[in-house]
Amino acid sequence: MKLQPGSERIFADERTDPLDGRVQWAPAKSLWLGSMTAVAIIFGPLLFSWSAFALFIVTSAITLCFGHSVGMHRRLIHASFDCPLWLERLCVYLGTLVGMAGPYGMVRLHDFRDWAQRQAACHAYSCHAAGFWRDAWWQLHCRLMLKHPPLFRLEPRLADDRFYAFVERSWMWQQLPWALLFFAIGSWSWLVWGICVRVAVCVTGHWLIGHYSHRRGGQTWVIEGVAAQGYDVGIAGLISMGESWHNNHHAYPGSAKLGLLPGQIDLGWWLIKAFEAAGLARNIKTPDNLAPRPGARRVDGPDSAGAVART
């Protein structure tokens, strides 16, 4: 197989095969999410209160929008806009609190998957091609072990950042100060809903959006010759902070704006525009100043609302 370039952080050689690997249970990852989910299912209903539910909604929105969507994805991974280092670190820290991984782990996970999906073929793990329940088990509790994986190399700006290195080493423990604070304010109800329910819902929801955004939905763009296409999952546009407009993202991966068509709500983009209005964001990349991804072809097809997106 002739390998195609992907992330600038991924270095493959002639031995690398994105198909040659096996899915292996990841104990730490599995026990982390499994314990959060078990506590959420068992104790969440028993300890429900409206204040705890409000805490869950507010903390989920902040960590997903400021943290995962804007900090981790659009800034750290894709560098789709520039901002002061203190703001980048704050947003990335909030992204760590989502509970999926530390900053280096998130970049590695994203870039390996992005690289694999750009090949002519890749393992079913990398493109969510397995059935619903198998993909859930694989993505939430396992990892893909390629026989000859490509090399992952962070740029020095990130690799040498002591703050990111500390957060990477301690990303699970970063929940602890907030757990103590929530317990002090609202007892067990706030702790369970502010930490366990939030982590279980946000991490599982992230997988759900990833699963469906690589299987079905609205499609304005087709990328020729790749293992995985992206689809827009309109029903999740609001709660995903714009991340579910994944067909747009496949066409313009470097764009800070993911909701490109009328009616595509993109809260992450609105936050970046708020940063810009406050003088905190600049050099913002959008399709207005980016070329489409190589191989991208605009097509007619149903958008997320069921209308026809014309070329």
Side-chain angles (χ1 to χ4, degrees):
M1 181 189 302
K2 181 181 179 181
L3 297 178
Q4 301 299 319
S7 167
E8 295 178 352
R9 305 179 182 100
I10 300 294
F11 299 87
D13 60 31
E14 65 279 358
R15 299 182 304 162
T16 303
D17 185 345
L19 285 164
D20 188 8
R22 59 187 177 88
V23 179
Q24 177 178 298
W25 182 54
K29 174 182 177 180
S30 180
L31 293 173
W32 166 256
L33 181 60
S35 62
M36 290 288 181
T37 304
V39 171
I41 292 173
I42 296 170
F43 294 104
L46 297 175
L47 296 170
F48 176 84
S49 70
W50 287 111
S51 65
F53 182 72
L55 177 69
F56 159 73
I57 295 295
V58 170
T59 53
S60 296
I62 291 173
T63 55
L64 287 173
C65 191
F66 281 80
H68 177 75
S69 182
V70 172
M72 288 285 199
H73 192 201
R74 307 192 205 201
R75 171 56 198 158
L76 201 68
I77 292 172
H78 288 292
S80 63
F81 67 98
D82 293 334
C83 66
L85 182 59
W86 68 264
L87 180 59
E88 176 190 287
R89 286 175 171 173
L90 173 61
C91 290
V92 169
Y93 169 73
L94 292 172
T96 298
L97 293 179
V98 171
M100 282 186 281
Y104 297 164
M106 282 302 304
V107 175
R108 182 185 300 108
L109 176 65
H110 177 280
D111 283 16
F112 267 106
R113 187 181 301 277
D114 186 68
W115 168 81
Q117 291 180 359
R118 291 182 184 226
Q119 309 311 311
C122 69
H123 195 283
Y125 178 97
S126 299
C127 56
H128 298 274
F132 182 87
W133 293 110
R134 176 173 290 185
D135 193 53
W137 170 250
W138 279 3
Q139 304 296 334
L140 297 175
H141 297 276
C142 303
R143 63 168 56 94
L144 174 64
M145 306 296 292
L146 291 180
K147 186 175 181 180
H148 295 292
L151 176 67
F152 172 77
R153 185 183 301 149
L154 280 169
E155 59 267 40
R157 183 185 82 82
L158 300 183
D160 298 337
D161 190 300
R162 293 183 179 181
F163 174 77
Y164 289 146
F166 168 72
V167 175
E168 178 66 24
R169 291 192 302 269
S170 60
W171 69 268
M172 289 184 184
W173 291 103
Q174 294 301 323
Q175 306 289 342
L176 182 59
W178 296 99
L180 295 174
L181 176 64
F182 295 158
F183 181 78
I185 296 173
S187 191
W188 289 107
S189 178
W190 273 40
L191 188 153
V192 168
W193 280 84
I195 302 296
C196 300
V197 176
R198 175 180 56 79
V199 170
V201 170
C202 289
V203 175
T204 304
H206 179 269
W207 160 71
L208 274 169
I209 291 169
H211 178 82
Y212 284 111
S213 67
H214 289 95
R215 295 177 69 89
R216 63 178 67 90
Q219 196 171 30
T220 308
W221 299 87
V222 168
I223 314 300
E224 304 286 359
V226 298
Q229 299 292 331
Y231 300 90
D232 291 333
V233 185
I235 194 172
L238 178 63
I239 61 174
S240 71
M241 310 301 159
E243 294 292 323
S244 71
W245 307 120
H246 208 64
N247 181 250
N248 297 338
H249 182 58
H250 271 225
Y252 291 96
S255 174
K257 185 178 184 181
L258 302 183
L260 303 181
L261 300 179
Q264 293 185 338
I265 297 174
D266 184 355
L267 295 183
W269 169 246
W270 296 355
L271 179 59
I272 292 171
K273 292 298 288 182
F275 287 162
E276 182 184 39
L280 296 174
R282 62 190 186 280
N283 299 329
I284 300 173
K285 300 175 184 175
T286 71
D288 291 334
N289 51 42
L290 289 172
R293 175 174 156 186
R297 176 172 57 85
R298 186 82 183 259
V299 296
D300 287 347
D303 65 13
S304 60
V308 175
R310 307 301 301 179
T311 56

